[in-house]
Amino acid sequence: MKIGILSRNANLYSTRRLIEASEARGHEVKVIDALRCYMNINSEKPQIHFQGEELSDFDAIIPRIGASVTFYGTAVLRQFEMMGVYPVNESVAITRSRDKLRSMQLLSRKGVGMPITGFASKPGDTKDLLHMVGGAPVVIKLLEGTQGIGVVLAETQKAAESVIEAFMGLKANIMVQEFIKEAGGADIRCFVIGDKVIAAMKRQGAEGEFRSNLHRGGSASLVKISPQERRTAIAASKIMGLNVAGVDLLRSERGPLVMEVNSSPGLEGIETATGKDVAGMIVEFIEKNAASKRTKTRGQG
Ligand code: ADP
């Protein structure tokens, strides 16, 4: 097969591993920087060009679209879909999962467990917003944050009010969430491919840190997940419409709670912690599913 990897950098661990895994299984592979693609949008023959060359005959695309290039990256992916190329994750599903508010609304509608969460832009009544989510301690998050930046634990009512007011001053959209103390500064990353959790790891925050992000000094280890955690992770990725997803769970007294569903989950942490060939499993999934050359939406929606 001819596989394209939509990635800005061929040297990133995940991209490198996907190239290796594709080649090891006898496929032709090309790394495509979406930002450098230009497109001809027409109803007869949609086209994509890259460095003076037409990109054609691809059987499948593996999108590895960074958060900062979601808009253009998903447009290029949509164009591939219109050309009948199989996307590992569809553009609509990526767009859906990138929007934290929309994702949480969809998950809650389908009854998936999640921390009690409030959203706000310019709350006229901070006290009432806090009351609505059960009061302090709460975790306050900037909607646009990643890698744990802009995630604050406010232990008292007063601290929570000042942080919310400070964030409001920045004109940022915020999320105010029940603090899951019993998670103990750890979360569980479930790596989903198709309808299976193929690998899972526990990320534990550094001593005295409630955030488990590896970028914040957390460490990862292999973990055995419960059947309920497995079901929750699969349900969450299905609701998002993702074939490949990293579902982050918090272990709470009332069962697993979904924090986030990631559409371009990194491979380095999970492969290192579990010793599994996750890249190989993604390519295997493509081999099984791309043959029909059919996508669900062909770029619609
Ligand atoms: P980011 O997307 O920036 O990584 P997250 O929302 O994943 O931000 O939060 C970072 C980390 O903080 C999580 O991995 C988790 O360990 C911790 N955390 C986030 N929300 C909560 C919460 N409501 N209760 C307990 N811990 C939390």
Side-chain angles (χ1 to χ4, degrees):
M1 283 198 302
K2 187 167 164 188
I3 300 174
I5 304 176
L6 269 189
S7 164
R8 300 222 55 209
N9 184 349
N11 296 318
L12 294 175
Y13 178 94
S14 301
T15 312
R16 269 196 289 118
R17 287 284 301 122
L18 289 163
I19 298 170
E20 269 171 30
S22 304
E23 288 177 346
R25 304 173 92 88
H27 303 298
E28 186 188 336
V29 60
K30 187 179 176 76
V31 176
I32 304 159
D33 177 353
L35 290 190
R36 290 166 159 264
C37 290
Y38 39 102
M39 301 174 278
N40 181 350
I41 299 168
N42 64 62
S43 50
E44 304 280 303
K45 188 174 180 284
Q47 285 178 317
I48 306 179
H49 282 217
F50 178 66
Q51 294 170 334
E53 177 199 335
E54 183 175 353
L55 297 179
S56 60
D57 309 328
F58 281 88
D59 297 292
I61 294 288
I62 307 177
R64 302 282 320 170
I65 298 169
S68 59
V69 294
T70 302
F71 176 72
Y72 200 76
T74 51
V76 172
L77 180 60
R78 201 177 308 118
Q79 187 85 351
F80 275 112
E81 290 165 9
M82 285 158 60
M83 291 157 52
V85 182
Y86 177 80
V88 168
N89 279 332
E90 292 195 26
S91 55
V92 271
I94 296 172
T95 311
R96 196 183 283 137
S97 69
R98 283 286 156 84
D99 180 339
K100 282 194 192 176
L101 224 167
R102 184 174 173 195
S103 313
M104 299 207 78
Q105 286 171 324
L106 288 171
L107 293 172
S108 69
R109 194 171 72 187
K110 298 278 182 178
V112 170
M114 62 179 61
I116 298 170
T117 305
F119 283 101
S121 178
K122 291 191 226 39
D125 190 336
T126 313
K127 284 193 176 65
D128 186 46
L129 168 65
L130 276 166
H131 179 71
M132 195 175 78
V133 298
V138 287
V139 176
I140 302 162
K141 304 182 186 185
L142 286 175
L143 224 50
E144 287 76 23
T146 55
Q147 301 177 348
I149 297 164
V151 179
V152 179
L153 171 61
E155 288 175 284
T156 65
Q157 199 74 11
K158 273 277 155 262
E161 284 173 26
S162 356
V163 173
I164 293 171
E165 276 153 24
F167 280 175
M168 270 166 52
L170 299 173
K171 302 201 185 346
N173 293 323
I174 56 166
M175 221 157 101
V176 184
Q177 204 164 61
E178 156 196 25
F179 175 51
I180 309 299
K181 189 166 192 283
E182 64 272 26
D187 72 355
I188 310 288
R189 159 61 60 94
C190 298
F191 204 107
V192 180
I193 300 182
D195 54 6
K196 289 195 183 73
V197 176
I198 55 93
M201 66 175 168
K202 179 175 175 168
R203 293 178 298 202
Q204 179 71 56
E207 189 65 35
E209 170 62 75
F210 82 101
R211 296 169 298 180
S212 62
N213 303 69
L214 304 182
H215 291 94
R216 310 248 72 75
S219 56
S221 59
L222 185 69
V223 71
K224 195 168 157 36
I225 57 168
S226 70
Q228 195 191 3
E229 288 166 343
R230 195 170 286 278
R231 281 197 302 274
T232 303
I234 295 165
S237 60
K238 192 156 272 164
I239 292 165
M240 290 297 127
L242 294 167
N243 290 316
V244 170
V247 181
D248 294 340
L249 304 174
L250 289 173
R251 282 183 162 163
S252 81
E253 278 158 2
R254 57 177 198 275
L257 305 177
V258 174
M259 243 185 338
E260 192 166 19
V261 184
N262 195 314
S263 59
S264 284
L267 300 185
E268 188 166 14
I270 196 86
E271 289 198 329
T272 310
T274 65
K276 291 191 179 168
D277 175 14
V278 177
M281 291 188 239
I282 294 175
V283 177
E284 202 179 318
F285 179 84
I286 296 172
E287 289 165 355
K288 289 203 184 104
N289 293 278
S292 67
K293 274 208 164 193
R294 225 177 277 129
T295 73
K296 269 183 264 159
T297 59
R298 285 184 77 103
Q300 290 172 37

